[in-house]
Amino acid sequence: TGRLRREGADWCRRGAAMSDGAENFWAATQQLLQGDQPLVRKPKLTENLLRKPPFRFLHDVVSEVMRNTGFGQGLYSEDELNSGSIKDKDSKVNYLNKIITCVGLALGQHVPARPLKVVAGLEPENTNEFLQMLARAATEGDGQDAVRRVLGGESAPSEASGGGGSDAPPPPPVQRERTPPPPASPEPEQE
């Protein structure tokens, strides 16, 4: 029950950014991307698509945000910009890795969406959180610097780093001295 309580607390914290609870996690995504000043006109962000976003839908949303805001321009090759040329799992994961890293670097925050889970249609709450962060990054972040950093091989801020992202190298691993096992006690001689 302790683990469930911790996970519930995490959900509550994220829920403020995601809407009115678990059943409407997608509503904030609709509002941010297709609200008063829409960043995405097509495709229509329907509840069904946001509850389990397919890759093609995500590609179209990312492409539309890039087209309408300029965020992420130069991140993808011509082939990657054509959703029809991205068919296998590795290509889809690579595409998502780039944009998720770009968003994380632009905002200086950890993005909870994991490309393999997104491609598998799992963790739609995290996928929606990524889309919400994409909307923020497209309107607030430094997209060109983030693109340059992604193409330079930089990683997105990790959850462990608090999302702030640090240029400092990780600390070296702790070296522990190995103590030899105690000598075996001699067995008493049997007569």
Side-chain angles (χ1 to χ4, degrees), residues 38-108:
L39 301 178
V40 176
R41 295 193 189 283
K42 285 184 178 178
K44 185 81 173 138
L45 304 182
T46 65
E47 177 182 346
N48 284 343
L49 287 170
L50 291 171
R51 281 187 179 270
K52 191 170 181 179
F55 176 79
R56 172 65 190 263
F57 169 75
L58 294 171
H59 188 284
D60 291 348
V61 169
V62 169
S63 297
E64 186 76 358
V65 169
M66 289 172 64
R67 194 173 13 264
N68 290 331
T69 67
F71 180 81
Q73 292 294 328
L75 183 63
Y76 295 114
S77 69
E78 284 300 316
D79 276 350
E80 291 170 316
L81 291 173
N82 175 7
S83 63
S85 67
I86 303 176
K87 296 194 184 297
D88 63 287
K89 183 170 96 174
D90 289 340
S91 299
K92 292 175 182 181
V93 167
N94 184 47
Y95 177 91
L96 291 169
N97 253 331
K98 282 185 177 181
I99 192 65
I100 289 170
T101 301
C102 189
V103 168
L105 291 172
L107 296 175

Side-chain angles (χ1 to χ4, degrees), residues 6 32-33 69 78 100 119 121 163 184 187:
R6 279 192 306 280
L32 286 168
L33 289 171
T69 67
E78 284 300 316
I100 289 170
V119 169
E187 291 185 26

